[in-house]
Amino acid sequence: MTRRHRLATRRRHETIAIEHEGQRYKVGLGREMLCNGSCGGSVRFGPIAEVFISAQKVNTQADVLAKDGAILMSLALQFGCPPDVIAHAMKSNPDGTPASPLGRAAAYLVEGDQ
């Protein structure tokens, strides 16, 4: 079994506000800080390694499902699942756009790796 990559205590975190089917969500994306040398040098950021999603209306079914899905997405990343595989696995609308807030977050995973 593949080992889970444990994240460092300090991480970069960015928050993005999205709207999906009339519901507002906040998507948090966490990246590890990678040091060149002994951290006295420059710092760069690694790929997205964790995802948080919360709906505007806390403790609703949409909020709980979004949070649980984000936890699973984060674990998949930390166990080595490539971001493009996660994004491709999400359901899409007929026009190719993500069908869920989790799908929108997965699209950020792929964009963030470039």
Side-chain angles (χ1 to χ4, degrees), residues 37-108:
S38 63
C39 274
S42 63
V43 175
R44 63 184 178 86
F45 300 103
I48 295 168
E50 63 184 347
V51 179
F52 301 93
I53 304 176
S54 56
Q56 182 179 12
K57 295 181 181 176
V58 180
N59 291 328
T60 61
Q61 190 67 22
D63 184 54
V64 171
L65 289 172
K67 285 179 178 168
D68 281 354
I71 290 167
L72 292 173
M73 195 180 298
S74 296
L75 287 170
L77 289 168
Q78 293 164 26
F79 272 99
C81 186
D84 61 322
V85 171
I86 294 170
H88 183 73
M90 297 287 153
K91 185 165 175 47
S92 297
N93 294 318
D95 67 358
T97 59
S100 71
L102 285 168
R104 296 268 310 268
Y108 286 112

Side-chain angles (χ1 to χ4, degrees), residues 13 36 43 47:
H13 185 84
N36 293 337
V43 175

